[in-house]
Structures are given as C-alpha cells and as structure tokens.
Amino acid sequence: MYISAASGLVCVCSTMYVVADDELHLGVFSKDTSEPGHLIRLFAGDLPSGKAERKQQKPDLEAITFVPAFDNFPHGALLAMGSASRPNRGRGALLTLDAHGAVCGSPNELDMSPIVGPLHQAFDELNIEGAVVVCNELRLFQRGNKQHADNAIIRYSLRQVLGALQSSQADAVAPFAIERLDLGLIEGVPLCFTDAAVLPGGEMVFCAVAEDTDDAYRDGRCVGASIGIADNDGHLVSLHPLDRPYKVEGISARLENHKLELLLVTDADDPSIPAKLLSASIAI
C-alpha cells in the first residue's frame, strides 16, 4: 500500500498520519518499523480512477493537525481538512486518539463551512494547505499561487472552532487575525505554503514550494522548495532552501540538541509514483 499525493503530515507518539489530496482515507505508518502502513476511511464512497475525473471529485485533504485533550477527547484528536478551494473541498474529519496516540472509534465527518466560509471574502482564491494548534488557537495556512501570491496565517479561537464544527447549526466563525507573509520568488515563481508544524514554544515550522501555476486547481512544475520558521506572532524568522525541487506538501518537526529534525512527505502529481518520506536537519 502506498500514497502518491501526500499532502499533510502529523506525528503522534510513534505514528505518522498522512493525508493525501486524492484519497478518501487517512494513511497510518509507524516511525519505528518499515512495515507497510494501513488506511483509515474518512469519507464514504469511491473516487474515479481516471486522473481528470478523480481531481474533479476528490475532497482535496491538505491539512492535518493534532488537537490536545478537550471535551470528550481525553487524549486529544486529529483534525483533517480539505483545501476549500472548490465547493466540494470543504469537508473535514475529527478522529479520537487513545493514550498511545492511536486512532480509536469511527471518524466524525465535519462540514468546515462555518470556519472557511468567511475566508472567501478575505482571499481571491482560498486554498488551505496547513493547520497547527498553538496554545488556545487554531492557525490555518493559506497558500498562494503565481496569480494571487497571497500566503497567510489565519488565527482562530480553538474553542470556538471546535464548538462550531461539532454543532449541527453553527454560526460562522471569523478569524481574529490574518497575518500575510511574502516568502519571495524562485525563478520568478512565488514560494507558497504547503504545510506547517508547531514547536513547543509556539514557533511554527513550514514547508513551501514554488509551483509554476496560476491558480489553486491546476498543477504546475515545481521549481524550488524551502523550509521556513515563523515566530509565535506569525512573523518570518528564517527561510532555508532545499537543494532539490521536491514538491514537499507535509512536514513534522521536533527540536533535538539545538537542531530541528524534520520529516517531509511529497506529492509527485502522478498516481503511479509513491510519495517520498524525506528527513532533514536544520541547526538553530
């Protein structure tokens, strides 16, 4: 079993959870063994096998994050969500975790419209690609493109979001801040967010790629990629280019001996090519 279009990564204990933008399932892999992973179904139904038809109908899951213990989730949960770049890409899922960081029970399918609905007025092309929890906030990462190079970190009250997502008649939840970031250009193509992870002090580590496309729907050639660090307030601290133009779309980060130890997953935009799992270190 492999995932080709890996688009988000989070590590909990010894488990790696990966969302793919062209799947209805969550990929589950062990960090400690080389054994094959398995899939957890998030949404009912089946997707077409043809590339164009599949792209049109896919839920476009692009972000996944760990949510610390709350309400009826004593060991926390996983929150996965679609990009919201098209009307059919606004679904999400909330998955209960046990004390060992394993998924238990059935996923709860979510309508993300109370959260992402208000954002369509804030951005020319909405395209959510990452999510992290920082203290009592949920922060979403908006990805730009060549036409609208509009990268942003969108900040919400976590409790408001969780309440709205679990209610059948929720009012819209507006963010309390939107921090826009310019990440520069590679060969004239803007670097744009593809995922993020949070460090214990609230700093955020993100991956970004320069993909030669004018919108949030069509794929393009990846001309470069970088790893960046933003502070707790969302201001850019540093940017570290990768030596090869991997289309990295998922990131996990941890601090160890004054180094950032990273795991990255890639999307080859080709269902016949398995996603890569890469590792990297950054001295800080």
Side-chain angles (χ1 to χ4, degrees), residues 135-170:
C135 296
N136 60 353
E137 295 180 21
L138 175 69
R139 299 184 180 182
L140 303 182
F141 284 69
Q142 154 72 12
R143 177 181 179 180
N145 54 62
K146 280 181 68 177
Q147 186 70 24
H148 303 289
D150 211 3
N151 293 298
I153 301 174
I154 307 158
R155 301 170 65 177
Y156 297 87
S157 159
L158 178 61
R159 181 153 290 278
Q160 270 192 299
V161 168
L162 294 174
L165 293 180
Q166 296 178 88
S167 171
S168 59
Q169 296 180 321

Side-chain angles (χ1 to χ4, degrees), residues 49-61:
S49 57
K51 185 175 180 179
E53 296 83 2
R54 193 179 186 90
K55 186 179 183 69
Q56 188 175 40
Q57 296 182 34
K58 68 183 185 179
D60 204 31
L61 291 169

Side-chain angles (χ1 to χ4, degrees), residues 16 59 64 125 144 256 272 278:
M16 295 183 292
I64 184 169
E125 272 196 299
E256 187 174 306
S272 68
L278 309 174

Side-chain angles (χ1 to χ4, degrees), residues 37-177:
H38 66 276
L39 298 176
I40 295 175
R41 177 174 283 279
L42 299 178
F43 307 125
D46 295 292
L47 292 173
S49 57
K51 185 175 180 179
E53 296 83 2
R54 193 179 186 90
K55 186 179 183 69
Q56 188 175 40
Q57 296 182 34
K58 68 183 185 179
D60 204 31
L61 291 169
E62 292 284 356
I64 184 169
T65 190
F66 171 72
V67 182
F70 66 98
D71 297 341
N72 297 319
F73 298 81
H75 304 293
L78 298 176
L79 174 63
M81 60 183 296
S83 66
S85 61
R86 291 290 187 276
N88 64 314
R89 297 180 173 186
R91 286 185 288 175
L94 192 65
L95 299 99
T96 307
L97 297 178
D98 66 17
H100 304 288
V103 170
C104 56
S106 300
N108 301 307
E109 184 173 340
L110 305 174
D111 175 7
M112 303 297 298
S113 58
I115 312 306
V116 299
L119 298 180
H120 287 284
Q121 278 108 40
F123 299 101
D124 291 312
E125 272 196 299
L126 188 61
N127 190 14
I128 301 301
E129 290 270 335
V132 297
V133 172
V134 181
C135 296
N136 60 353
E137 295 180 21
L138 175 69
R139 299 184 180 182
L140 303 182
F141 284 69
Q142 154 72 12
R143 177 181 179 180
N145 54 62
K146 280 181 68 177
Q147 186 70 24
H148 303 289
D150 211 3
N151 293 298
I153 301 174
I154 307 158
R155 301 170 65 177
Y156 297 87
S157 159
L158 178 61
R159 181 153 290 278
Q160 270 192 299
V161 168
L162 294 174
L165 293 180
Q166 296 178 88
S167 171
S168 59
Q169 296 180 321
D171 294 329
V173 177
F176 65 81

